[in-house]
Amino acid sequence: MASAPPHATGDAVTEQFLGHRELLFSVSYNMLGSLADTEDVLQEVWLAWSARHRTPDAAPVENPRAYLVRIAMNQALARRAEVTRRQETYVGPWLPEPLVTAEDDVAAAAERAESLSMAVLVVLETLSPLERAVFVLHEVFGFGHPEIADILGRSPAAVRQLAARARRHVQARRPRQRSAPDVHSQVTERFAAAALGGDLRALLELLAPDVTLWTDGGGKGPATSLRPVHGRDRVAALFMSVAATLPTDGLDIRYRRVAGDPCALVLSGDSPIAVVIVDLAPDGNRIAGIYSVTNPDKLPRAER
């Protein structure tokens, strides 16, 4: 079905854009991992979409969804190089900006579960921009290879090759397995209580021997490690040192979700100071990875 013609009312054009906004947001965020850049992409998509409908001789858009995704993906690919340049000069590990939702927001969690998982996004950072684009469109949002070829301006054969390489790369680093939601939530809460409460024994019981900790403070947040920390003893020691420096009054932990994963949102008074996501080992009982975002530039929207 074609979109509204160029002379359609502004309300109709706006409603059609808003009907696809969540998809456009997710596609762009999966490519960029930055809320500010994602919002800029959406603004560019809206400007292009509305401008087309102001053009008297513009042909109708036969597939608005594919048309809008093509604009969003091309804008995201254009911004990808700038995001990479910023990461190269970033202080310490760079993690995607967390998208925090309420613990009981089941609809949002289900809609964004795999696409915006912190662990998956970290792996996507190791793909080439085109591999990432194909993986996002095909594996996450279900676009077929011919559709993706049209969106990216590549041949279907080239897209299939990109898809195969991206899938092998991601599966080698992030096997497709998800822990039971209730177990993941329980481990997250036990971890937060042990780490922030300074309970070394409880913390050691939760961590896998080869656990890795990434702390994204950007040189501004507390308890920033300039490199990933590997190993149960080293990770536990770091959290014990953090617990010793935390204020005793005004500290609050709220349990939220980042995509489909539970997270601990740590606040001092009303100000977020950290978002912590744990990634469970295949056995589902121990923590294999910890992602801690403490850069204050990435936290203003954490508790909205």
Side-chain angles (χ1 to χ4, degrees):
M1 178 177 173
S3 74
H7 59 272
T9 66
D11 285 347
V13 172
T14 301
E15 287 174 7
Q16 198 160 40
F17 172 79
L18 293 177
H20 295 289
R21 190 183 187 282
E22 181 64 28
L23 169 64
L24 301 174
F25 179 95
S26 296
V27 167
S28 303
Y29 176 82
N30 273 313
M31 287 297 298
L32 301 170
S34 159
L35 290 177
D37 288 293
T38 296
E39 295 291 351
D40 287 345
V41 166
L42 292 184
Q43 179 68 13
E44 293 297 328
V45 175
W46 163 248
L47 291 174
W49 177 247
S50 59
R52 181 181 180 92
H53 288 85
R54 290 196 304 269
T55 304
D57 58 349
V61 178
E62 295 296 327
N63 187 338
R65 180 175 183 263
Y67 179 86
L68 289 165
V69 168
R70 180 168 64 249
I71 299 173
M73 182 56 76
N74 287 333
Q75 286 289 332
L77 283 168
R79 289 177 178 271
R80 186 63 240 179
E82 173 58 29
V83 172
T84 301
R85 282 194 293 271
R86 293 203 304 264
Q87 292 174 8
E88 289 171 351
T89 59
Y90 197 77
V91 178
W94 182 94
L95 293 175
E97 191 171 351
L99 286 168
V100 181
T101 58
E103 178 70 21
D104 58 356
D105 193 346
V106 177
E111 188 166 359
R112 296 181 172 182
E114 185 65 23
S115 62
L116 300 181
S117 161
M118 181 66 74
V120 172
L121 283 173
V122 169
V123 174
L124 293 188
E125 287 295 320
T126 63
L127 298 177
S128 73
L130 279 177
E131 288 172 343
R132 183 169 182 160
V134 171
F135 184 89
V136 166
L137 291 174
H138 182 63
E139 299 291 333
V140 179
F141 297 105
F143 283 84
H145 292 151
E147 282 185 288
I148 298 172
D150 185 56
I151 290 170
L152 298 179
R154 297 294 193 277
S155 70
V159 167
R160 282 191 290 272
Q161 290 178 350
L162 288 165
R165 286 204 304 267
R167 190 183 307 111
R168 285 196 301 269
H169 186 93
V170 173
Q171 289 179 349
R173 291 160 178 79
R174 176 65 183 174
R176 282 183 173 271
Q177 56 87 26
R178 298 189 71 86
S179 304
D182 56 341
V183 173
H184 202 160
S185 295
Q186 291 168 10
V187 173
T188 299
E189 294 181 20
R190 290 169 57 200
F191 166 79
L196 300 180
D199 188 339
L200 178 60
R201 181 176 178 178
L203 186 58
L204 289 172
E205 290 177 353
L206 288 169
L207 300 179
D210 57 350
V211 63
T212 299
L213 165 67
W214 291 264
T215 57
D216 178 348
K220 303 175 182 180
T224 298
S225 175
L226 297 181
R227 294 180 179 83
V229 179
H230 303 286
R232 177 166 49 199
D233 291 340
R234 294 182 64 196
V235 170
L238 179 59
F239 275 106
M240 290 303 98
S241 67
V242 171
T245 64
L246 290 174
T248 55
D249 296 326
L251 196 68
D252 187 20
I253 305 174
R254 299 176 189 173
Y255 296 102
R256 301 289 187 262
R257 304 194 79 84
V258 171
D261 293 334
C263 75
L265 173 62
V266 186
L267 300 100
S268 179
D270 294 328
S271 301
I273 59 174
V275 171
V276 183
I277 303 105
V278 301
D279 188 34
L280 301 190
D283 63 14
N285 295 315
R286 292 196 175 186
I287 297 170
I290 305 167
Y291 306 95
S292 175
V293 180
T294 62
N295 184 342
D297 295 339
K298 295 186 176 184
L299 296 177
R301 295 190 245 190
E303 182 72 347
R304 288 184 287 184

